[in-house]
Amino acid sequence: MLNKLLNILRQISETIAQNENHTKILADIVKTLAHNFEVDVCSVYIYHEHLDELILAATCGLNEESVGNVKLKPGKGITGASFKRREVMNISHPENHPDFVYFQGTGEERYKSFLAAPLTLGGNCFGVLTVQRQSAELFPDYMVDMVKSLSTQMANLLMNAKLLRCLADENANNSVESVQKEKEENQPDRPNGPLMLRGIAANPGIGRGKVFIFKSGDLFDEITHLNNTDKAKELAILENAIRLTKDKTLELEKKALSMISEADASIFHVHLLFLDDKSLIDEIRKEINVNTHTAEYSIKVVFEQYKQRFIRLKDQTFQDKVMDLKDVMLRLAETVKMLKDGTCPAEEQHTTAPLSERFIIASDELLPSALIKMPVDNIAGIICEKGGATAHIAILARALNIPALMGIKTLMDNIRNHDNIIMDCHAELIHVNPSEQIVQHFDEIIRAEAEEAGAVVDKAPAFTSDGQKLTLRANISLICETSMLEEYGAEGIGLYRTEFMFMIRDFLPPEEDQSRVFSRIIKEAGTHEVT
């Protein structure tokens, strides 16, 4: 198989080198693949980002007039399902499949077997390669492996040749362009002037800085359907990965404890509870044992099942828990991958945030473990497309005193790295590349807040006008607030709200944890009284 793959790749490379016409290059490639695979049909669909559509870019076997005219939304049709799920789909009698969508005039009704492989590279999916035959048998395993291996190489070759964007543009006909124009008028892909977006305030304040877009590495996008050949080995890897993931989670909790209060750091204890959840882990073991999936694919399947259960509850608090479950399940899957091939976990391979300036971090979804690893002193604000005020990332933002806005729809479509951002969490708005008038307005607010924060606090003992001594104490909810006792001249703690320790958790804090927190509170108060 390897020699055949190398021969196909050589032919594709020669085709790219000998032609400049992008459409002809892809047309020649699908002919080459159809011949080498000995199939009746070979087609390539390219993802058009602006339209959010898969467009048939080239075919050998289907009606040529279908090129540029067959379009699918991600998730629609078998091809769209392969793209969205990042899965190879090998199907007999595709017309009976629940995802099947028929396109009249393509001639595909003659073909009774269908194989689709997403063109993925670096965690991104650029399109789908499909092959079809008239015979109804499933494609054999060696063929599936060959198409899957080739799809990544093909994505790489096409990307290097800068074909993907050109092909997507060339195949967008006039009707497509009008749809794109209409979409851009309603929701510009790239705002030229000032823009305001609304979100949900997770922590009050005003943040200002340049955008740093954090793209979380979603390993689930790269995990494809595979069957294991040794159940015992997969189960052993899973058990080892659970143990290592627990150790890694404890390290994150320890780091969080050094930065924020014990109550807020306890969100990572929730991750440990997931890893100790017998029903959750048993579901993963079942996927390995009964359905003979690999450990990493089993983790992906079970996460998707739990995710759908949480979403169906229609409660924002439960929907926010999906992010915590995803955080720990990704860590578990990455550990499995590391044990199998010795690679670094995906979360440690991302572009690091700038260290020399304060910035606004923007993300589709920001997981707690990712935030803890960042230079938090440089973060002027957090803006996210997903999540709400009850998400654990919001709790971390409050603990770290970082202004945060969550649930900003279309955020990632409307910002770019280094855009200037002013976020007003009081009004629940962000200003993207604001006008000079807006900048001046917030300059005055920021200056006034800085002056107020820098004002000297009178720490002298408190007396009434007739000379009676008063004791001024502080009310607190978090351990981290004890640092302000001296700053404001408080003589002890008038009320420590012990219920917060329970409210912040999804479980009852053990007696030893409560004792440790109370001891630290009393120690921080020194010789003063604590209630």
Side-chain angles (χ1 to χ4, degrees):
M1 187 183 84
L2 181 58
N3 288 335
K4 189 167 186 177
L5 271 176
L6 292 173
N7 183 47
I8 293 172
L9 289 170
R10 179 184 56 78
Q11 292 178 52
I12 293 174
S13 298
E14 289 175 357
T15 299
I16 292 173
Q18 293 169 6
N19 291 279
E20 293 184 0
N21 184 291
H22 304 307
T23 304
K24 187 177 186 310
I25 289 173
L26 205 54
D28 287 346
I29 287 175
V30 293
K31 288 176 184 175
T32 298
L33 295 178
H35 173 73
N36 281 278
F37 289 155
E38 299 178 352
V39 294
D40 300 310
V41 178
C42 181
S43 307
V44 170
Y45 293 78
I46 301 295
Y47 178 58
H48 196 293
E49 189 173 351
H50 297 301
L51 294 174
D52 190 31
E53 285 183 333
L54 285 160
I55 299 177
L56 179 61
T59 185
C60 174
L62 297 181
N63 188 341
E64 287 291 336
E65 293 180 1
S66 302
V67 174
N69 293 316
V70 174
K71 310 178 191 74
L72 289 160
K73 289 288 184 183
K76 299 298 181 183
I78 299 173
T79 302
S82 175
F83 175 86
K84 186 172 183 179
R85 298 172 193 167
R86 308 294 200 265
E87 289 183 7
V88 175
M89 301 184 72
N90 185 14
I91 296 167
S92 174
H93 292 289
E95 69 276 7
N96 298 327
H97 194 276
D99 290 319
F100 179 74
V101 174
Y102 174 66
F103 285 92
Q104 191 171 1
T106 60
E108 64 179 338
E109 62 273 6
R110 300 192 301 273
Y111 308 109
K112 301 302 179 184
S113 58
F114 189 99
L115 178 61
L119 300 174
T120 57
L121 187 66
N124 296 313
C125 192
F126 302 104
V128 180
L129 171 66
T130 66
V131 294
Q132 295 168 264
R133 292 187 308 194
Q134 291 190 26
S135 59
E137 296 84 9
L138 290 172
F139 285 96
D141 290 343
Y142 81 87
M143 180 76 168
V144 175
D145 290 340
M146 196 182 320
V147 170
K148 188 164 59 176
S149 298
L150 185 66
S151 63
T152 303
Q153 299 300 325
M154 226 184 117
N156 191 35
L157 283 170
L158 292 172
M159 190 55 137
N160 289 340
K162 298 182 180 179
L163 280 174
L164 293 169
R165 184 174 296 277
C166 296
L167 285 164
D169 293 339
E170 287 179 7
N171 287 317
N173 56 25
N174 290 335
S175 62
V176 173
E177 289 174 358
S178 65
V179 172
Q180 180 179 346
K181 183 178 180 181
E182 181 181 347
K183 179 176 179 179
E184 288 178 348
E185 286 174 354
N186 295 328
Q187 181 182 308
D189 176 64
R190 173 55 174 163
N192 294 320
L195 179 72
M196 285 194 303
L197 298 173
R198 185 168 295 279
I200 302 166
N203 194 41
I206 293 172
R208 181 176 177 181
K210 290 190 180 296
V211 168
F212 168 72
I213 295 178
F214 178 79
K215 295 182 178 179
S216 55
D218 195 337
L219 181 62
F220 288 149
D221 289 343
E222 301 175 21
I223 296 174
T224 56
H225 177 227
L226 287 173
N227 290 105
N228 69 66
T229 55
D230 188 338
K231 294 179 185 179
K233 182 179 179 182
E234 291 295 316
L235 287 168
I237 289 173
L238 175 66
E239 299 306 321
N240 195 16
I242 292 171
R243 180 182 58 80
L244 292 172
T245 305
K246 285 181 180 179
D247 292 343
K248 190 184 298 183
T249 303
L250 285 168
E251 289 175 11
L252 285 172
E253 186 176 26
K254 186 177 180 181
K255 182 173 183 181
L257 273 170
S258 69
M259 299 164 59
I260 56 179
S261 74
E262 188 271 347
D264 295 314
S266 70
I267 64 174
F268 291 104
H269 197 84
V270 176
H271 293 193
L272 290 173
L273 294 180
F274 279 131
L275 293 168
D276 283 329
D277 189 298
K278 189 176 185 301
S279 61
L280 176 66
I281 301 302
D282 280 350
E283 289 286 341
I284 299 172
R285 293 186 183 114
K286 181 181 176 182
E287 289 294 327
I288 295 172
N289 263 322
V290 178
N291 296 325
T292 67
H293 292 145
T294 58
E296 58 269 38
Y297 189 75
S298 298
I299 294 166
K300 176 181 177 178
V301 168
V302 172
F303 165 70
E304 289 295 336
Q305 292 170 352
Y306 273 74
K307 175 183 174 181
Q308 293 306 316
R309 292 179 201 172
F310 280 22
I311 290 174
R312 282 196 295 269
L313 293 172
K314 303 297 183 184
D315 184 290
Q316 185 61 48
T317 303
F318 283 104
Q319 292 181 14
D320 287 340
K321 297 299 180 194
V322 172
M323 295 177 69
D324 288 304
L325 179 60
K326 183 176 183 178
D327 198 351
V328 70
M329 289 293 99
L330 274 175
R331 209 174 308 137
L332 181 59
E334 285 163 353
T335 306
V336 167
K337 186 174 184 294
M338 181 179 64
L339 289 172
K340 285 187 173 183
D341 56 25
T343 59
C344 292
E347 64 182 38
E348 296 176 6
Q349 295 174 346
H350 307 317
T351 304
T352 54
L355 294 172
S356 57
E357 58 182 338
R358 284 174 61 77
F359 57 91
I360 303 287
I361 185 161
S363 183
D364 174 29
E365 61 177 358
L366 186 61
L367 301 176
S369 60
L371 180 60
I372 285 295
K373 295 175 183 177
M374 292 182 186
V376 292
D377 290 341
N378 288 28
I379 301 177
I382 297 170
I383 50 178
C384 289
E385 192 161 302
K386 297 179 184 177
T390 60
H392 273 157
I393 196 69
I395 294 171
L396 278 179
R398 290 194 288 272
L400 294 165
N401 198 27
I402 300 173
L405 280 174
M406 317 295 286
I408 306 171
K409 295 179 180 178
T410 73
L411 173 67
M412 304 310 287
D413 290 334
N414 287 293
I415 60 167
R416 299 292 182 271
N417 269 322
H418 310 300
D419 276 349
N420 289 309
I421 293 279
I422 294 178
M423 52 187 295
D424 181 358
C425 296
H426 306 294
E428 298 191 318
L429 288 171
I430 66 166
H431 301 266
V432 183
N433 298 320
S435 65
E436 188 59 35
Q437 184 179 3
I438 294 291
V439 170
Q440 289 177 2
H441 170 71
F442 279 97
D443 276 346
E444 294 175 6
I445 295 175
I446 293 169
R447 192 181 306 114
E449 287 186 347
E451 289 174 357
E452 183 179 343
V456 176
V457 176
D458 184 3
K459 299 180 184 178
F463 288 90
T464 62
S465 57
D466 61 353
Q468 296 296 312
K469 173 78 166 61
L470 295 177
T471 300
L472 186 66
R473 298 192 178 101
N475 290 353
I476 69 168
S477 301
L478 299 170
I479 292 176
C480 59
E481 292 175 314
T482 58
S483 63
M484 294 187 288
L485 297 179
E486 184 178 354
E487 181 181 348
Y488 289 96
E491 298 175 280
I493 296 169
L495 177 65
Y496 167 54
R497 293 182 55 200
T498 56
E499 78 274 15
F500 195 79
M501 192 192 314
F502 292 78
M503 291 164 60
I504 200 73
R505 288 174 163 84
D506 299 310
F507 57 93
L508 292 176
E511 186 176 333
E512 57 269 23
D513 284 0
Q514 296 180 53
S515 177
R516 186 171 66 252
V517 172
F518 296 149
S519 298
R520 186 170 166 190
I521 292 282
I522 292 168
K523 181 180 179 181
E524 293 290 332
T527 58
H528 297 296
E529 183 178 306
V530 175
T531 302

